[in-house]
């Protein structure tokens, strides 16, 4: 079976820390795949907030996720502190890709837990149509 392999870009836009909560733990006693997707979402929202945006208002347009890929690498456990580094590539007229490196900080060591990618599309929720990536957001994404 072919596995997803995500190559992380080097242009880190932000780093956020998110703890693994007891509600993130599954019956295998480790971080559940559904909880990891929620943590990725939280990391994206925190990155947007660092830039004074929300998913519904980035310079007047919203964001909608068009795809998601996750490469699971190691287990994470209750009380791990996750460090999520966010990067961007493939900036087009209406979309871009965000990449996430998710590492657990455990015993003063960094353990790669997962890599992920989300395809993000700028979206006009009122008009129900795609929108152009705002220039200010483009500048943030290319790390000017």
């Amino acid at each position: 079976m072919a596995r997803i392999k995500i190559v992380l870009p080097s242009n880190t836009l932000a780093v956020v820390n998110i703890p693994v909560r007891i509600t993130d733990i599954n019956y295998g006693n480790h971080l559940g795949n559904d909880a990891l997707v929620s943590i990725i979402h939280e990391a994206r929202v925190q990155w947007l907030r660092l830039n004074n945006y929300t998913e519904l208002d980035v310079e007047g347009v919203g964001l909608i996720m068009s795809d998601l890929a996750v490469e699971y690498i190691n287990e994470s456990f209750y009380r791990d502190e996750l460090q999520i580094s966010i990067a961007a590539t493939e900036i087009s007229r209406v979309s871009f890709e965000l990449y996430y490196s998710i590492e657990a900080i455990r015993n003063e060591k960094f353990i790669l837990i997962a890599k992920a990618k989300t395809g993000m599309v700028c979206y006009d929720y009122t008009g129900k149509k795609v929108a152009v990536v705002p220039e200010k957001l483009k500048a943030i994404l290319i790390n000017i």
Side-chain angles (χ1 to χ4, degrees), residues 14-33:
V15 177
V16 299
N17 287 9
I18 299 173
V20 175
R21 307 163 306 165
I22 193 64
T23 55
D24 297 328
I25 301 303
N26 65 15
Y27 57 85
N29 204 30
H30 58 234
L31 178 64
N33 60 341

Side-chain angles (χ1 to χ4, degrees), residues 9-10 39 49 72 76 83 89 123 127 141:
S10 60
I39 288 169
R49 191 174 65 219
Y72 297 96
S76 182
Q83 180 173 291
T89 64
Y123 193 72
L141 293 170

